[in-house]
Amino acid sequence: MALKGNLRDFTITQLLNLVNLAQKTGSLIIEGPSETATITFREGKLAYAQVNTEDGGLGAILHKSNVISTAQYGTLKARAASMNDKELGLLLINSGYVSQEDILASLQTHFVDIIQRLFSWVEGIFHFDNDILVPGDKIPVKLDLENIIIEGSRRLREWEQLKDELPNLELALKFTDRPGVNLKNINLSVEEWKVVSFINPKNTIGAIAKANKMSELDIRRIVYGLLQAGLVELIRPEGVEQTLPGIDKAMPGKNKEEQKNLVNRLIGRIRSL
Amino acid sequence: MQTVKMVVTGPFNSGKTEFIQTVSEIDVVSTERKVSSEAEKIKESTTVAMDFGRITVDDELVLYLFGTPGQKRFDFMWEILSEGMLGFIVMVDSTRPETFKEARAILETFRAYAPTPYVVAANKQDMEDAWEIDDMRIALRLDPDVKLLPAVAVDRESVKSVLLELLGTILTEL
Ligand SMILES: Nc1nc2c(ncn2[C@@H]2O[C@H](COP(=O)(O)OP(=O)(O)O)[C@@H](O)[C@H]2O)c(=O)[nH]1
Ligand SMILES: [Mg+2]
Protein backbone atom coordinates (compact mmCIF):
# COMPACT_ATOMS: atom_id res chain seq x y z
CA MET A 1 0.00 0.00 0.00
CA ALA A 2 1.27 3.44 -0.90
CA LEU A 3 2.13 5.41 2.16
CA LYS A 4 0.74 8.83 1.44
CA GLY A 5 -1.80 11.24 2.87
CA ASN A 6 -2.26 14.47 4.76
CA LEU A 7 -0.85 15.36 8.17
CA ARG A 8 -4.32 16.38 9.23
CA ASP A 9 -5.31 12.73 9.16
CA PHE A 10 -2.01 11.09 9.98
CA THR A 11 0.34 12.96 12.30
CA ILE A 12 4.12 13.15 12.32
CA THR A 13 4.11 11.10 15.51
CA GLN A 14 2.15 8.32 13.84
CA LEU A 15 4.39 8.41 10.79
CA LEU A 16 7.61 8.19 12.79
CA ASN A 17 6.12 5.37 14.82
CA LEU A 18 5.33 3.48 11.69
CA VAL A 19 8.79 3.96 10.21
CA ASN A 20 10.29 2.84 13.50
CA LEU A 21 8.16 -0.28 13.93
CA ALA A 22 8.36 -1.34 10.29
CA GLN A 23 12.14 -0.66 10.24
CA LYS A 24 11.69 1.24 7.02
CA THR A 25 14.39 2.43 4.64
CA GLY A 26 13.66 5.34 2.30
CA SER A 27 12.45 8.92 2.56
CA LEU A 28 9.42 10.61 3.96
CA ILE A 29 8.66 13.68 1.91
CA ILE A 30 6.37 16.25 3.45
CA GLU A 31 5.11 19.25 1.55
CA GLY A 32 4.03 21.93 3.99
CA PRO A 33 2.44 25.28 3.21
CA SER A 34 5.76 27.07 2.70
CA GLU A 35 8.46 24.42 2.55
CA THR A 36 9.13 20.80 1.76
CA ALA A 37 11.01 18.49 4.11
CA THR A 38 12.70 15.25 3.18
CA ILE A 39 13.49 12.87 6.04
CA THR A 40 15.57 9.85 5.15
CA PHE A 41 15.68 6.63 7.21
CA ARG A 42 17.81 3.50 7.21
CA GLU A 43 16.22 0.44 8.77
CA GLY A 44 13.92 2.51 10.93
CA LYS A 45 16.59 4.93 12.10
CA LEU A 46 17.01 8.57 11.18
CA ALA A 47 19.82 9.00 8.65
CA TYR A 48 19.37 12.40 7.08
CA ALA A 49 16.97 15.34 6.84
CA GLN A 50 16.69 18.36 4.65
CA VAL A 51 14.36 21.30 4.07
CA ASN A 52 14.20 22.69 0.55
CA THR A 53 14.25 26.33 1.61
CA GLU A 54 17.45 26.01 3.63
CA ASP A 55 21.11 25.57 2.91
CA GLY A 56 21.66 22.02 4.13
CA GLY A 57 25.39 22.06 3.42
CA LEU A 58 27.83 21.02 6.11
CA GLY A 59 29.33 24.51 6.29
CA ALA A 60 25.98 26.14 7.01
CA ILE A 61 25.12 23.48 9.59
CA LEU A 62 28.43 23.86 11.44
CA HIS A 63 27.98 27.61 11.40
CA LYS A 64 24.46 27.37 12.74
CA SER A 65 25.61 25.26 15.65
CA ASN A 66 28.49 27.67 16.33
CA VAL A 67 31.16 25.07 15.63
CA ILE A 68 32.74 27.42 13.12
CA SER A 69 32.70 31.21 13.25
CA THR A 70 31.07 33.48 10.71
CA ALA A 71 34.51 34.41 9.39
CA GLN A 72 35.48 30.75 8.99
CA TYR A 73 32.18 30.06 7.30
CA GLY A 74 32.84 32.93 4.87
CA THR A 75 36.26 31.52 4.03
CA LEU A 76 34.80 28.07 3.45
CA LYS A 77 32.15 29.43 1.15
CA ALA A 78 34.77 31.25 -0.87
CA ARG A 79 37.43 28.56 -1.01
CA ALA A 80 35.64 25.25 -0.68
CA ALA A 81 32.47 25.93 -2.59
CA SER A 82 32.98 23.04 -4.95
CA MET A 83 33.57 20.44 -2.26
CA ASN A 84 30.81 18.13 -1.18
CA ASP A 85 30.01 17.50 2.49
CA LYS A 86 32.15 14.39 2.83
CA GLU A 87 35.18 16.09 1.30
CA LEU A 88 34.64 19.21 3.35
CA GLY A 89 34.25 17.16 6.53
CA LEU A 90 37.52 15.37 5.90
CA LEU A 91 39.29 18.62 5.14
CA LEU A 92 38.05 20.25 8.34
CA ILE A 93 39.00 17.25 10.48
CA ASN A 94 42.43 16.90 8.88
CA SER A 95 43.21 20.56 9.25
CA GLY A 96 42.27 20.33 12.93
CA TYR A 97 39.39 22.84 12.77
CA VAL A 98 36.78 20.46 14.10
CA SER A 99 36.53 16.90 15.36
CA GLN A 100 34.49 14.11 13.86
CA GLU A 101 32.32 14.20 16.99
CA ASP A 102 31.60 17.90 16.41
CA ILE A 103 30.48 17.18 12.90
CA LEU A 104 28.24 14.28 13.84
CA ALA A 105 26.75 16.14 16.79
CA SER A 106 25.98 19.18 14.64
CA LEU A 107 24.37 17.05 11.96
CA GLN A 108 22.29 15.16 14.50
CA THR A 109 21.08 18.38 16.10
CA HIS A 110 20.28 19.84 12.71
CA PHE A 111 18.32 16.80 11.52
CA VAL A 112 16.45 16.45 14.78
CA ASP A 113 15.60 20.18 14.66
CA ILE A 114 14.05 19.69 11.25
CA ILE A 115 11.91 16.83 12.51
CA GLN A 116 10.94 18.74 15.63
CA ARG A 117 9.74 21.58 13.48
CA LEU A 118 7.52 19.19 11.59
CA PHE A 119 5.62 18.49 14.79
CA SER A 120 4.16 21.97 14.59
CA TRP A 121 2.87 21.48 11.04
CA VAL A 122 -0.83 20.80 11.02
CA GLU A 123 -1.20 20.87 7.28
CA GLY A 124 0.99 19.00 4.81
CA ILE A 125 0.91 16.33 2.15
CA PHE A 126 3.27 13.43 2.73
CA HIS A 127 4.43 10.35 0.91
CA PHE A 128 7.05 7.72 1.57
CA ASP A 129 9.46 6.86 -1.21
CA ASN A 130 11.47 3.63 -0.73
CA ASP A 131 13.95 4.60 -3.42
CA ILE A 132 15.15 7.93 -2.11
CA LEU A 133 18.22 7.21 0.03
CA VAL A 134 20.82 9.45 1.62
CA PRO A 135 22.54 11.36 -1.19
CA GLY A 136 25.99 9.87 -1.84
CA ASP A 137 27.85 13.07 -1.02
CA LYS A 138 26.10 13.64 2.32
CA ILE A 139 27.19 12.39 5.72
CA PRO A 140 24.52 10.16 7.26
CA VAL A 141 23.79 9.72 10.97
CA LYS A 142 22.09 6.85 12.76
CA LEU A 143 19.60 7.91 15.40
CA ASP A 144 16.86 5.99 17.20
CA LEU A 145 13.43 7.45 16.63
CA GLU A 146 11.95 6.73 20.06
CA ASN A 147 13.50 9.72 21.78
CA ILE A 148 12.64 11.98 18.90
CA ILE A 149 9.01 10.90 19.08
CA ILE A 150 8.79 11.42 22.83
CA GLU A 151 10.54 14.78 22.72
CA GLY A 152 8.42 15.84 19.75
CA SER A 153 5.16 15.04 21.49
CA ARG A 154 6.28 16.91 24.56
CA ARG A 155 7.28 19.92 22.45
CA LEU A 156 4.01 19.77 20.56
CA ARG A 157 2.07 20.23 23.77
CA GLU A 158 4.32 23.07 24.82
CA TRP A 159 4.05 24.57 21.34
CA GLU A 160 0.27 24.53 21.45
CA GLN A 161 0.24 26.12 24.87
CA LEU A 162 2.69 28.82 23.91
CA LYS A 163 0.75 29.61 20.77
CA ASP A 164 -2.32 30.18 22.88
CA GLU A 165 -0.38 32.36 25.27
CA LEU A 166 1.33 34.37 22.58
CA PRO A 167 -0.58 34.11 19.33
CA ASN A 168 0.70 37.21 17.64
CA LEU A 169 4.38 37.55 16.69
CA GLU A 170 3.67 40.82 14.90
CA LEU A 171 3.57 42.66 18.19
CA ALA A 172 6.58 44.43 19.64
CA LEU A 173 7.88 44.50 23.21
CA LYS A 174 8.64 47.20 25.68
CA PHE A 175 10.08 47.10 29.18
CA THR A 176 7.49 47.59 31.86
CA ASP A 177 7.98 50.78 33.77
CA ARG A 178 7.19 49.02 36.97
CA PRO A 179 9.07 50.46 39.94
CA GLY A 180 11.68 48.24 41.54
CA VAL A 181 12.34 46.10 38.50
CA ASN A 182 15.95 46.30 37.50
CA LEU A 183 17.22 44.05 34.75
CA LYS A 184 20.67 44.04 36.28
CA ASN A 185 19.40 42.16 39.29
CA ILE A 186 17.76 39.45 37.25
CA ASN A 187 19.53 36.34 36.07
CA LEU A 188 18.91 36.02 32.37
CA SER A 189 20.32 33.31 30.14
CA VAL A 190 22.40 34.14 27.10
CA GLU A 191 19.42 33.48 24.85
CA GLU A 192 17.22 35.75 26.94
CA TRP A 193 19.80 38.52 26.80
CA LYS A 194 19.90 38.20 23.04
CA VAL A 195 16.17 38.82 22.93
CA VAL A 196 16.31 41.58 25.52
CA SER A 197 18.98 43.42 23.54
CA PHE A 198 16.59 43.69 20.60
CA ILE A 199 13.65 45.02 22.56
CA ASN A 200 12.53 48.19 20.89
CA PRO A 201 9.12 49.44 19.72
CA LYS A 202 10.30 49.08 16.14
CA ASN A 203 11.10 45.37 16.36
CA THR A 204 8.30 42.85 16.20
CA ILE A 205 8.75 39.60 18.10
CA GLY A 206 9.01 37.84 14.75
CA ALA A 207 11.82 40.17 13.68
CA ILE A 208 13.69 39.57 16.94
CA ALA A 209 13.46 35.83 16.31
CA LYS A 210 14.82 36.25 12.82
CA ALA A 211 17.70 38.45 13.91
CA ASN A 212 18.71 35.85 16.50
CA LYS A 213 18.11 32.86 14.23
CA MET A 214 15.59 31.53 16.73
CA SER A 215 12.68 29.25 15.97
CA GLU A 216 9.11 30.37 16.72
CA LEU A 217 9.04 27.93 19.60
CA ASP A 218 12.23 29.34 21.12
CA ILE A 219 11.21 32.97 20.79
CA ARG A 220 7.74 32.28 22.19
CA ARG A 221 9.24 30.42 25.12
CA ILE A 222 11.61 33.28 25.96
CA VAL A 223 9.12 36.10 25.45
CA TYR A 224 6.54 34.20 27.46
CA GLY A 225 9.04 33.90 30.31
CA LEU A 226 9.82 37.62 30.19
CA LEU A 227 6.10 38.45 30.13
CA GLN A 228 5.41 36.11 33.03
CA ALA A 229 8.17 37.73 35.04
CA GLY A 230 6.54 41.10 34.39
CA LEU A 231 9.69 42.46 32.74
CA VAL A 232 8.14 43.28 29.39
CA GLU A 233 4.75 43.98 27.90
CA LEU A 234 3.36 43.70 24.40
CA ILE A 235 2.85 46.81 22.34
CA ARG A 236 1.89 47.66 18.83
CA PRO A 237 5.07 48.01 16.77
CA GLU A 238 6.10 51.52 15.87
CA GLY A 239 5.74 52.46 12.24
CA VAL A 240 2.81 50.12 11.74
CA GLU A 241 -0.29 52.16 11.24
CA GLN A 242 -2.34 52.17 14.38
CA THR A 243 -5.25 49.91 13.71
CA LEU A 244 -7.71 51.41 16.10
CA PRO A 245 -7.87 55.08 16.97
CA GLY A 246 -8.05 56.26 20.58
CA ILE A 247 -11.03 57.68 22.44
CA ASP A 248 -10.67 61.11 20.92
CA LYS A 249 -11.29 59.67 17.48
CA ALA A 250 -14.39 57.96 18.78
CA MET A 251 -15.93 61.36 19.29
CA PRO A 252 -14.56 63.39 16.40
CA GLY A 253 -14.86 67.16 16.35
CA LYS A 254 -15.71 67.37 20.03
CA ASN A 255 -13.83 69.21 22.71
CA LYS A 256 -13.21 67.75 26.18
CA GLU A 257 -16.41 69.22 27.63
CA GLU A 258 -18.52 67.84 24.79
CA GLN A 259 -16.86 64.47 25.13
CA LYS A 260 -17.59 64.38 28.85
CA ASN A 261 -21.15 65.42 28.15
CA LEU A 262 -21.52 62.56 25.68
CA VAL A 263 -20.16 59.99 28.11
CA ASN A 264 -22.42 61.35 30.86
CA ARG A 265 -25.43 60.94 28.59
CA LEU A 266 -24.41 57.32 28.04
CA ILE A 267 -24.07 56.83 31.77
CA GLY A 268 -27.50 58.35 32.39
CA ARG A 269 -29.09 56.12 29.78
CA ILE A 270 -27.53 52.93 31.04
CA ARG A 271 -28.49 53.69 34.65
CA SER A 272 -32.10 54.03 33.48
CA LEU A 273 -32.18 50.68 31.70
CA MET B 1 -27.07 61.38 14.74
CA GLN B 2 -23.85 60.24 16.40
CA THR B 3 -22.91 56.64 17.05
CA VAL B 4 -20.31 55.28 19.43
CA LYS B 5 -19.22 51.71 19.98
CA MET B 6 -18.12 49.50 22.79
CA VAL B 7 -16.61 46.13 22.14
CA VAL B 8 -17.19 42.98 24.13
CA THR B 9 -14.43 40.49 23.52
CA GLY B 10 -13.22 37.28 25.15
CA PRO B 11 -12.86 33.55 24.49
CA PHE B 12 -15.52 31.33 23.00
CA ASN B 13 -18.46 30.68 25.34
CA SER B 14 -17.43 33.34 27.86
CA GLY B 15 -20.83 35.04 27.63
CA LYS B 16 -20.39 37.83 25.10
CA THR B 17 -23.63 37.21 23.23
CA GLU B 18 -25.55 36.86 26.48
CA PHE B 19 -24.05 40.07 27.86
CA ILE B 20 -25.04 42.12 24.82
CA GLN B 21 -28.47 40.50 24.55
CA THR B 22 -29.25 41.37 28.14
CA VAL B 23 -29.11 45.13 27.52
CA SER B 24 -29.69 45.46 23.79
CA GLU B 25 -32.99 46.92 22.59
CA ILE B 26 -32.76 44.86 19.42
CA ASP B 27 -32.27 41.14 19.13
CA VAL B 28 -28.57 40.52 18.98
CA VAL B 29 -27.83 39.88 15.37
CA SER B 30 -25.28 37.18 15.61
CA THR B 31 -23.29 36.28 12.58
CA GLU B 32 -22.22 33.25 14.54
CA ARG B 33 -23.69 30.00 13.44
CA LYS B 34 -24.69 27.66 16.22
CA VAL B 35 -21.45 25.87 16.82
CA SER B 36 -21.40 22.35 18.11
CA SER B 37 -18.72 21.29 20.57
CA GLU B 38 -16.94 19.69 17.64
CA ALA B 39 -16.88 22.97 15.75
CA GLU B 40 -15.53 24.75 18.79
CA LYS B 41 -12.14 23.28 17.99
CA ILE B 42 -12.09 24.97 14.61
CA LYS B 43 -10.95 28.43 15.52
CA GLU B 44 -11.87 30.06 12.21
CA SER B 45 -15.55 29.43 12.60
CA THR B 46 -15.61 31.27 15.89
CA THR B 47 -13.26 34.16 15.10
CA VAL B 48 -15.43 35.43 12.29
CA ALA B 49 -18.41 35.62 14.58
CA MET B 50 -19.65 39.01 15.61
CA ASP B 51 -22.62 40.02 17.73
CA PHE B 52 -24.29 43.32 17.40
CA GLY B 53 -26.53 45.12 19.92
CA ARG B 54 -27.92 48.64 20.23
CA ILE B 55 -28.87 51.08 22.97
CA THR B 56 -30.50 54.33 21.87
CA VAL B 57 -29.46 57.12 24.22
CA ASP B 58 -31.50 59.98 22.81
CA ASP B 59 -32.44 61.53 19.47
CA GLU B 60 -28.83 62.27 18.72
CA LEU B 61 -26.84 59.45 20.20
CA VAL B 62 -26.77 55.69 19.75
CA LEU B 63 -24.47 53.18 21.44
CA TYR B 64 -23.59 50.01 19.61
CA LEU B 65 -22.23 46.96 21.34
CA PHE B 66 -20.09 44.59 19.32
CA GLY B 67 -19.24 41.14 20.49
CA THR B 68 -16.21 39.45 19.01
CA PRO B 69 -13.88 36.71 20.12
CA GLY B 70 -11.18 37.89 17.73
CA GLN B 71 -7.57 38.12 18.62
CA LYS B 72 -6.00 38.22 15.21
CA ARG B 73 -5.15 41.72 14.17
CA PHE B 74 -6.18 41.38 10.58
CA ASP B 75 -9.63 40.01 11.17
CA PHE B 76 -12.19 41.97 9.26
CA MET B 77 -13.65 43.11 12.54
CA TRP B 78 -10.81 45.52 13.08
CA GLU B 79 -12.06 47.54 10.17
CA ILE B 80 -15.58 47.54 11.49
CA LEU B 81 -14.38 48.57 14.91
CA SER B 82 -11.93 51.14 13.71
CA GLU B 83 -14.21 54.10 14.06
CA GLY B 84 -15.79 55.37 17.19
CA MET B 85 -14.69 52.74 19.68
CA LEU B 86 -14.89 54.19 23.17
CA GLY B 87 -13.55 51.20 25.03
CA PHE B 88 -13.74 47.46 25.40
CA ILE B 89 -14.74 44.75 27.82
CA VAL B 90 -12.89 41.46 28.06
CA MET B 91 -15.26 38.69 29.14
CA VAL B 92 -13.81 35.74 30.98
CA ASP B 93 -15.71 32.62 32.00
CA SER B 94 -14.91 32.39 35.73
CA THR B 95 -15.68 28.69 35.73
CA ARG B 96 -13.19 27.74 33.01
CA PRO B 97 -9.61 28.40 34.08
CA GLU B 98 -8.40 26.61 30.96
CA THR B 99 -9.57 29.67 28.97
CA PHE B 100 -7.76 32.24 31.13
CA LYS B 101 -4.60 32.28 29.07
CA GLU B 102 -6.57 32.82 25.88
CA ALA B 103 -8.44 35.66 27.58
CA ARG B 104 -5.11 37.12 28.57
CA ALA B 105 -3.82 36.85 25.00
CA ILE B 106 -6.93 38.53 23.63
CA LEU B 107 -6.59 41.28 26.19
CA GLU B 108 -2.97 41.87 25.25
CA THR B 109 -3.69 42.01 21.55
CA PHE B 110 -6.54 44.45 22.02
CA ARG B 111 -4.57 46.59 24.39
CA ALA B 112 -1.65 46.76 22.00
CA TYR B 113 -3.78 47.90 19.10
CA ALA B 114 -6.60 49.81 20.71
CA PRO B 115 -5.43 52.61 22.97
CA THR B 116 -8.81 52.92 24.63
CA PRO B 117 -9.97 52.17 28.18
CA TYR B 118 -11.04 48.66 29.08
CA VAL B 119 -12.31 46.55 31.94
CA VAL B 120 -12.25 42.80 32.50
CA ALA B 121 -15.50 41.06 33.43
CA ALA B 122 -15.27 37.85 35.48
CA ASN B 123 -18.45 36.35 34.11
CA LYS B 124 -20.70 33.53 35.40
CA GLN B 125 -20.09 34.51 39.00
CA ASP B 126 -23.51 33.03 39.78
CA MET B 127 -22.15 29.56 39.19
CA GLU B 128 -20.95 27.42 42.02
CA ASP B 129 -17.55 26.62 40.54
CA ALA B 130 -16.73 30.21 39.61
CA TRP B 131 -13.24 31.30 40.64
CA GLU B 132 -12.91 34.09 43.14
CA ILE B 133 -12.02 37.52 41.84
CA ASP B 134 -8.71 37.78 43.68
CA ASP B 135 -7.56 34.41 42.36
CA MET B 136 -8.61 35.34 38.84
CA ARG B 137 -6.63 38.55 39.02
CA ILE B 138 -3.51 36.55 39.74
CA ALA B 139 -4.25 33.88 37.15
CA LEU B 140 -4.94 36.51 34.50
CA ARG B 141 -1.84 38.49 35.56
CA LEU B 142 -3.76 41.76 35.73
CA ASP B 143 -2.10 44.85 37.09
CA PRO B 144 -3.71 46.27 40.23
CA ASP B 145 -5.00 49.31 38.33
CA VAL B 146 -7.01 47.22 35.84
CA LYS B 147 -10.65 46.85 36.83
CA LEU B 148 -11.68 43.21 37.20
CA LEU B 149 -15.41 43.12 37.82
CA PRO B 150 -17.60 40.24 38.98
CA ALA B 151 -20.33 39.74 36.40
CA VAL B 152 -23.40 37.70 35.57
CA ALA B 153 -24.22 38.27 31.91
CA VAL B 154 -27.78 36.99 32.28
CA ASP B 155 -28.49 39.61 34.95
CA ARG B 156 -29.35 43.09 33.72
CA GLU B 157 -28.15 44.96 36.81
CA SER B 158 -24.82 43.20 36.62
CA VAL B 159 -24.35 44.01 32.93
CA LYS B 160 -25.32 47.62 33.62
CA SER B 161 -22.73 47.92 36.35
CA VAL B 162 -19.97 46.56 34.08
CA LEU B 163 -20.91 49.08 31.38
CA LEU B 164 -21.01 51.87 33.97
CA GLU B 165 -17.59 50.92 35.29
CA LEU B 166 -16.19 51.10 31.78
CA LEU B 167 -17.85 54.45 31.17
CA GLY B 168 -16.47 55.66 34.50
CA THR B 169 -12.98 54.65 33.39
CA ILE B 170 -13.52 56.44 30.08
CA LEU B 171 -14.61 59.59 31.90
CA THR B 172 -11.52 59.63 34.09
CA GLU B 173 -9.28 59.16 31.07
CA LEU B 174 -10.79 62.04 29.12
N1 LIG C 1 -25.01 30.83 34.61
C1 LIG C 1 -24.58 31.70 33.71
N2 LIG C 1 -24.53 31.33 32.41
C2 LIG C 1 -24.08 32.23 31.51
C3 LIG C 1 -23.67 33.53 31.89
N3 LIG C 1 -23.28 34.18 30.80
C4 LIG C 1 -23.43 33.33 29.75
N4 LIG C 1 -23.91 32.16 30.17
C5 LIG C 1 -24.17 30.99 29.36
O1 LIG C 1 -22.93 30.55 28.83
C6 LIG C 1 -23.11 30.08 27.50
C7 LIG C 1 -22.23 30.85 26.55
O2 LIG C 1 -22.65 32.18 26.47
P1 LIG C 1 -22.54 33.03 25.10
O3 LIG C 1 -23.06 34.38 25.39
O4 LIG C 1 -23.15 32.29 23.98
O5 LIG C 1 -20.97 33.04 24.93
P2 LIG C 1 -20.09 33.70 23.74
O6 LIG C 1 -19.53 32.58 22.95
O7 LIG C 1 -19.02 34.45 24.46
O8 LIG C 1 -20.99 34.60 22.95
C8 LIG C 1 -24.59 30.22 27.19
O9 LIG C 1 -25.21 28.99 27.45
C9 LIG C 1 -25.04 31.28 28.16
O10 LIG C 1 -26.39 31.15 28.47
C10 LIG C 1 -23.73 33.87 33.29
O11 LIG C 1 -23.37 34.95 33.75
N5 LIG C 1 -24.18 32.91 34.13
MG1 LIG D 1 -21.48 34.41 21.03
Side-chain angles (χ1 to χ4, degrees), chain A residues 112-132:
Chain A
V112 171
D113 274 355
I114 290 178
I115 298 194
Q116 296 300 356
R117 247 154 61 197
L118 295 177
F119 278 90
S120 65
W121 292 15
V122 274
E123 199 55 52
I125 297 166
F126 66 79
H127 71 274
F128 196 91
D129 190 326
N130 295 320
D131 298 327
I132 300 183

Side-chain angles (χ1 to χ4, degrees), chain A residues 22-263:
Chain A
Q23 303 277 293
K24 280 187 168 297
T25 296
S27 291
L28 184 62
I29 294 140
I30 305 173
E31 292 166 51
S34 56
E35 47 189 12
T36 299
T38 305
I39 317 291
T40 308
F41 306 92
R42 281 214 295 222
E43 291 167 353
K45 300 206 189 313
L46 173 65
Y48 178 71
Q50 190 204 325
V51 172
N52 68 330
T53 53
E54 279 173 11
D55 182 355
L58 183 61
I61 293 170
L62 292 174
H63 177 229
K64 197 180 97 181
S65 52
N66 294 325
V67 170
I68 58 173
S69 67
T70 303
Q72 288 172 321
Y73 180 42
T75 313
L76 283 185
K77 275 205 294 197
R79 304 232 184 107
S82 61
M83 281 190 189
N84 70 36
D85 279 6
K86 280 182 176 162
E87 292 164 346
L88 181 62
L90 268 179
L91 174 84
L92 288 172
I93 293 168
N94 287 338
S95 57
Y97 269 130
V98 300
S99 67
Q100 180 169 323
E101 289 72 39
D102 284 339
I103 291 182
L104 285 179
S106 298
L107 289 173
Q108 288 186 1
T109 309
H110 178 71
F111 297 158
V112 171
D113 274 355
I114 290 178
I115 298 194
Q116 296 300 356
R117 247 154 61 197
L118 295 177
F119 278 90
S120 65
W121 292 15
V122 274
E123 199 55 52
I125 297 166
F126 66 79
H127 71 274
F128 196 91
D129 190 326
N130 295 320
D131 298 327
I132 300 183
L133 306 175
V134 180
D137 56 346
K138 295 289 180 184
I139 304 168
V141 301
K142 191 175 177 188
L143 271 181
D144 285 336
L145 289 180
E146 285 91 348
N147 284 329
I148 299 178
I149 295 171
I150 292 169
E151 170 69 9
S153 311
R154 195 185 64 72
R155 285 229 232 168
L156 180 61
R157 276 195 303 277
E158 187 192 14
W159 166 255
E160 282 169 349
Q161 271 181 0
L162 283 170
K163 243 174 44 180
D164 282 351
E165 295 272 6
L166 196 64
N168 192 345
L169 296 185
E170 288 166 44
L171 293 176
L173 297 167
K174 90 182 235 305
F175 294 107
T176 44
D177 27 28
R178 205 176 280 191
V181 178
N182 186 344
L183 271 182
K184 292 205 186 80
N185 303 332
I186 293 163
N187 285 324
L188 296 177
S189 70
V190 174
E191 295 288 290
E192 284 158 348
W193 271 117
K194 281 189 192 165
V195 171
V196 162
S197 68
F198 277 92
I199 289 181
N200 176 321
K202 289 195 182 76
N203 295 336
T204 64
I205 299 171
I208 296 178
K210 216 168 185 181
N212 283 312
K213 293 196 270 181
M214 281 176 187
S215 70
E216 284 197 11
L217 176 64
D218 291 337
I219 190 77
R220 280 196 163 91
R221 189 190 283 135
I222 291 172
V223 171
Y224 177 61
L226 297 172
L227 282 168
Q228 280 282 36
L231 295 176
V232 299
E233 56 187 281
L234 296 167
I235 53 162
R236 171 180 51 82
E238 228 171 57
V240 168
E241 203 194 322
Q242 195 166 299
T243 318
L244 299 183
I247 332 180
D248 277 342
K249 289 270 177 57
M251 300 174 277
K254 299 225 182 307
N255 64 34
K256 278 276 162 297
E257 277 320 302
E258 289 165 335
Q259 291 181 348
K260 282 188 181 152
N261 170 277
L262 186 150
V263 175

Side-chain angles (χ1 to χ4, degrees), chain A residues 161 164-165 167 170-171 178 228 234 236 242-245 250 254 256 259 262 265 269-271 273, chain B residues 2 56-58 61 71 73-74 78 82 84 86 101 105 108 112-115 141 143 156 160 174:
Chain A
Q161 271 181 0
D164 282 351
E165 295 272 6
E170 288 166 44
L171 293 176
R178 205 176 280 191
Q228 280 282 36
L234 296 167
R236 171 180 51 82
Q242 195 166 299
T243 318
L244 299 183
K254 299 225 182 307
K256 278 276 162 297
Q259 291 181 348
L262 186 150
R265 272 150 71 204
R269 176 70 182 108
I270 284 167
R271 282 214 178 106
L273 280 176
Chain B
Q2 172 154 25
T56 304
V57 177
D58 51 41
L61 183 60
Q71 47 172 280
R73 205 189 116 214
F74 293 108
W78 289 99
S82 66
L86 277 181
K101 65 184 172 193
E108 262 160 10
Y113 283 96
R141 302 202 306 276
D143 284 347
R156 178 179 278 238
K160 279 167 63 179
L174 276 178

Side-chain angles (χ1 to χ4, degrees), chain B residues 17-159:
Chain B
T17 307
E18 199 71 59
F19 183 94
I20 295 173
Q21 188 65 72
T22 298
V23 286
S24 174
E25 62 201 21
I26 54 171
D27 241 3
V28 170
V29 189
S30 181
T31 57
E32 185 174 7
R33 276 166 288 134
K34 271 289 158 221
V35 270
S36 63
S37 56
E38 178 62 13
E40 179 180 346
K41 291 185 201 132
I42 305 162
K43 284 264 159 55
E44 275 70 27
S45 68
T46 60
T47 45
V48 296
M50 172 109 79
D51 299 319
F52 177 62
R54 186 182 72 198
I55 298 170
T56 304
V57 177
D58 51 41
D59 291 347
E60 281 145 41
L61 183 60
V62 176
L63 170 67
Y64 287 114
L65 296 173
F66 283 93
T68 168
Q71 47 172 280
K72 280 200 228 116
R73 205 189 116 214
F74 293 108
D75 277 351
F76 75 98
M77 60 147 191
W78 289 99
E79 273 170 46
I80 300 176
L81 303 180
S82 66
E83 273 168 34
M85 179 167 119
L86 277 181
F88 61 94
I89 297 160
V90 183
M91 298 286 284
V92 189
D93 185 338
S94 310
T95 67
R96 288 184 59 206
E98 67 274 22
T99 66
F100 291 176
K101 65 184 172 193
E102 190 192 345
R104 170 81 204 171
I106 292 172
L107 169 66
E108 262 160 10
T109 304
F110 257 84
R111 199 175 57 179
Y113 283 96
T116 57
Y118 64 94
V119 297
V120 183
N123 195 32
K124 308 196 188 181
Q125 282 288 321
D126 58 320
M127 290 176 72
E128 208 174 303
D129 49 352
W131 277 43
E132 283 178 24
I133 297 292
D134 289 345
D135 296 339
M136 284 183 70
R137 181 178 285 283
I138 295 167
L140 288 164
R141 302 202 306 276
L142 295 179
D143 284 347
D145 54 334
V146 175
K147 283 185 186 166
L148 175 64
L149 312 161
V152 180
V154 290
D155 176 67
R156 178 179 278 238
E157 288 309 313
S158 171
V159 172

